[in-house]
Amino acid sequence: MIRKMLKEQVFFLHVISLLFLSCESENQRSSKTQFDHHCGSCHMAPDPTSIPKTIWKNSVLPEMAARMGYRYNDFDPYRYQTAKESLYINRSNKYPDERMIDSATWWGIHDYIVGLAPDSIPIDMTRKKRNSDLAQFSLRKIELPKRSDPVITSIQFDSVHHLFSIADANGDLHQWPNQKIDITERFKSAVTSYNPKENNFFVTEVGILNPSEIPLGLFSKIRMGISDTIAKELHRPVFLEIVDLNDDGEDEFLICEFGNLTGQLSLLEVGENGYDKRALSTLPGAVKLEIADMDGDGKKDIVALFAQGNEGVFIFYQKSNLQFSSEQVIRLPPEFGSSWFELIDYDSDGDLDIVMTNGDNADYSIFLKPYHGIRLFLNNGSNMFNQKWFYPLYGATRVLADDYDLDGDYDFAISALFNDRENTPRESFVYLENKASMNYEFKSYTFKDEFSSGWLTMAKGDYDGDGDIDIMVGSFNVKGLRKKKTFFKPQKEEVVTLILLDNRQNLSTGKGRFQ
């Protein structure tokens, strides 16, 4: 009898345990469903295991909650903001006054994320030994005038005059090489694009360099020293393209208004009274675009990278006269920090592929991310892009693809603003030499002497006319970003603002396919 009772008790406890596990599993499934719904409706839902637990709790989750009208961890998005900034933040409607989610659902999502999040994500220490010394380029430090700002906001190469145009955060515009580098122009705010065309110069000013909802950017035409404002109240414009999209003899202007909480990709076309402006997309984070006929219909299309929230690459297909339909062809989670891309035919099959960098690390989850780096997406011929290669690099910011060694394939030059300054300080600039293109084999190089700055901007061009491609790299010395010792060393009194990487290859060593 006693044995029978014990068996019945064990069976009863087993059933209760199964019911408990079933309820727990059901709750987890429900929380995951809510997570995917609420956190994946506007962008790709992040992987809970990709961010450490403390960062989820102290930074990402409070921001997520505020976007759903829920207050968590005493977070107030308006705290420390000016009255004007608060006004524009309120207009963005990104922080609703009424809750979009109840407490039970929120805490279910919270516990689901925190339960999966790791305590920490280890740093890859093997990267210390993976780079060879870079001898193909000679390193030349270029000093700007003393009143210049060490934050370089734009570098562009003028292939007609064989010089680099350099803009800094003061609004100063410089040109190099000159016998004596000097200020060419001064503007009200930092210049992010400088485009000479015929006898005109088109200039885009960011307005407010730091993250802001206040639209103070300008787009102007300068002719014979006289400035004419084409568009104002732009929302932190960072990139400009001038192109005759519909082949009618009149140029259109495409502006990436990166913005902050909001933003847009804008098209300016000739109207009855100047230029008419309209948004092709109202997503924030438009950072760069290129023009190409992506569907082979003879019309110019727009390929654009958005790097805020719904990260990824969009193609805007021109269906008729300046009328577009859009398709997102690459989508990445927001913690990837997409920052730049280039269109290249990597595999020489006649269609355009995409190489891009992921490494922005100044938002809500600041730590060294193993998924930061450079990615290559190959086009299957129908604008379906599949990732074929990934090279991990902490804080990868810009990539410039070209045949730098003139052997007939693509090499990559990469700047990394948010690299691991403590363990691999030399990886603020990395050169990847293509050794076996179709096997995706690259050899990595860095300079013996680490760069003394954070590096953001880059441009390439044959400035000396010797037949190979040179590179100029611009610093981004922002004191506010140096609070985290993991990423930045203390700013020195004397900082190098620009570095020229003079390519020692030339046509005598061979002729690449791009020459």
Side-chain angles (χ1 to χ4, degrees):
M1 177 67 69
I2 294 175
R3 183 178 297 175
K4 182 178 179 182
M5 290 176 62
L6 288 173
K7 285 184 177 179
E8 289 176 349
Q9 287 178 356
V10 170
F11 177 76
F12 177 75
L13 290 173
H14 180 65
V15 170
I16 293 297
S17 176
L18 289 175
L19 288 173
F20 176 78
L21 291 173
S22 176
C23 291
E24 185 179 40
S25 177
E26 181 63 32
N27 288 336
Q28 287 180 335
R29 285 195 294 269
S30 176
S31 295
K32 183 183 185 306
T33 300
Q34 292 292 341
F35 169 73
D36 291 338
H37 171 69
H38 289 286
C39 304
S41 58
C42 298
H43 55 72
M44 191 172 179
D47 181 353
T49 66
S50 67
I51 298 173
K53 196 185 304 288
T54 55
I55 293 178
W56 271 115
K57 287 182 175 180
N58 298 329
S59 183
V60 182
L61 283 171
E63 177 67 25
M64 281 175 51
R67 297 290 183 103
M68 294 184 283
Y70 194 91
R71 293 296 179 261
Y72 165 75
N73 209 10
D74 195 35
F75 174 71
D76 180 2
Y78 295 93
R79 188 179 296 160
Y80 311 122
Q81 303 291 353
T82 65
K84 186 174 183 180
E85 188 70 47
S86 295
L87 174 64
Y88 278 89
I89 291 174
N90 184 261
R91 288 179 181 176
S92 73
N93 295 317
K94 293 299 180 179
Y95 301 107
D97 294 328
E98 296 184 3
R99 288 186 179 184
M100 300 167 57
I101 188 171
D102 59 43
S103 292
T105 303
W106 165 254
W107 285 106
I109 293 173
H110 172 279
D111 293 345
Y112 167 75
I113 293 172
V114 172
L116 292 174
D119 291 329
S120 63
I121 294 179
I123 297 172
D124 183 2
M125 302 302 290
T126 64
R127 302 184 190 187
K128 285 185 173 183
K129 299 180 179 179
R130 66 177 177 176
N131 302 305
S132 301
D133 293 332
L134 180 54
Q136 181 179 325
F137 295 84
S138 63
L139 187 151
R140 176 178 176 180
K141 298 177 181 178
I142 297 175
E143 300 288 349
L144 295 180
K146 289 184 178 179
R147 75 175 190 176
S148 302
D149 197 292
V151 174
I152 302 302
T153 56
S154 175
I155 306 175
Q156 292 170 251
F157 183 69
D158 183 342
S159 58
V160 175
H161 301 98
H162 296 280
L163 53 81
F164 291 94
S165 296
I166 306 140
D168 65 37
N170 276 342
D172 293 337
L173 183 67
H174 316 268
Q175 290 187 327
W176 189 92
N178 288 322
Q179 290 184 348
K180 180 182 179 182
I181 190 167
D182 202 352
I183 295 172
T184 305
E185 299 281 353
R186 165 158 279 190
F187 298 89
K188 293 180 181 179
S189 66
V191 171
T192 52
S193 288
Y194 175 79
N195 300 63
K197 185 158 188 180
E198 298 174 351
N199 295 321
N200 301 318
F201 299 93
F202 296 92
V203 177
T204 306
E205 300 177 58
V206 73
I208 299 176
L209 189 59
N210 292 324
S212 174
E213 274 299 289
I214 305 173
L216 294 178
L218 295 172
F219 173 45
S220 306
K221 179 177 72 174
I222 300 173
R223 183 179 179 87
M224 299 180 66
I226 300 174
S227 179
D228 178 25
T229 301
I230 297 175
K232 58 184 179 180
E233 297 184 352
L234 300 177
H235 195 179
R236 298 178 73 218
V238 297
F239 191 88
L240 168 71
E241 184 71 31
I242 305 173
V243 59
D244 182 1
L245 282 168
N246 54 356
D247 297 318
D248 66 349
E250 294 279 1
D251 284 331
E252 284 76 43
F253 303 106
L254 290 161
I255 303 177
C256 291
E257 297 185 57
F258 188 95
N260 185 30
L261 299 172
T262 61
Q264 63 185 48
L265 173 62
S266 301
L267 169 67
L268 277 69
E269 57 183 299
V270 175
E272 293 182 1
N273 300 305
Y275 287 89
D276 297 328
K277 179 188 173 191
R278 60 186 167 99
L280 299 182
S281 171
T282 56
L283 288 175
V287 67
K288 193 215 171 176
L289 64 89
E290 293 197 28
I291 305 299
D293 180 6
M294 297 300 293
D295 54 5
D297 66 352
K299 302 183 185 70
K300 297 184 179 76
D301 305 312
I302 304 164
V303 184
L305 172 64
F306 290 79
Q308 193 91 320
N310 188 16
E311 292 194 6
V313 176
F314 289 73
I315 300 178
F316 296 83
Y317 297 101
Q318 187 171 189
K319 295 303 181 182
S320 58
N321 184 22
L322 300 182
Q323 300 301 312
F324 298 86
S325 66
S326 66
E327 176 188 13
Q328 187 169 10
V329 294
I330 296 176
R331 197 179 194 208
L332 297 170
E335 69 269 28
F336 272 43
S338 302
S339 51
W340 203 251
F341 85 101
E342 288 198 342
L343 287 177
I344 59 174
D345 185 3
Y346 179 84
D347 50 5
S348 302
D349 64 352
D351 51 44
L352 292 171
D353 310 304
I354 292 173
V355 60
M356 68 185 303
T357 49
N358 307 104
D360 183 16
N361 209 4
D363 289 322
Y364 305 113
S365 59
I366 300 177
F367 69 99
L368 293 171
K369 298 179 171 72
Y371 39 84
H372 276 179
I374 177 173
R375 287 174 165 81
L376 177 65
F377 296 85
L378 293 189
N379 191 338
N380 73 343
S382 300
N383 294 332
M384 292 182 63
F385 292 85
N386 298 307
Q387 181 178 315
K388 291 295 186 180
W389 174 72
F390 169 66
Y391 184 83
L393 179 63
Y394 292 128
T397 306
R398 295 281 174 93
V399 57
L400 299 179
D402 216 308
D403 184 10
Y404 294 102
D405 56 3
L406 303 176
D407 67 348
D409 53 30
Y410 278 102
D411 313 299
F412 301 120
I414 313 163
S415 67
L417 176 60
F418 299 98
N419 69 306
D420 182 359
R421 292 299 179 89
E422 184 175 335
N423 298 298
T424 51
R426 291 170 59 174
E427 288 197 343
S428 58
F429 175 85
V430 176
Y431 172 64
L432 297 179
E433 179 189 4
N434 198 332
K435 306 299 288 185
S437 185
M438 298 318 297
N439 293 326
Y440 311 107
E441 294 179 11
F442 292 83
K443 185 172 182 179
S444 62
Y445 297 86
T446 57
F447 284 102
K448 289 183 180 179
D449 299 324
E450 64 178 273
F451 289 179
S452 60
S453 304
W455 303 97
L456 171 66
T457 50
M458 290 199 303
K460 64 178 181 177
D462 183 10
Y463 86 96
D464 50 8
D466 66 351
D468 52 34
I469 302 300
D470 312 298
I471 302 169
M472 182 173 282
V473 190
S475 67
F476 202 80
N477 288 298
V478 180
K479 292 181 181 179
L481 292 176
R482 294 175 178 272
K483 294 177 181 178
K484 301 281 184 180
K485 290 192 292 186
T486 305
F487 305 106
F488 295 96
K489 293 182 177 180
Q491 189 174 14
K492 300 176 182 178
E493 291 184 6
E494 297 294 331
V495 295
V496 177
T497 306
L498 293 164
I499 287 182
L500 176 73
L501 307 179
D502 197 339
N503 198 342
R504 294 176 176 176
Q505 293 288 120
N506 55 55
L507 292 176
S508 65
T509 64
K511 187 173 183 179
R513 66 175 180 178
F514 311 127
Q515 298 296 327

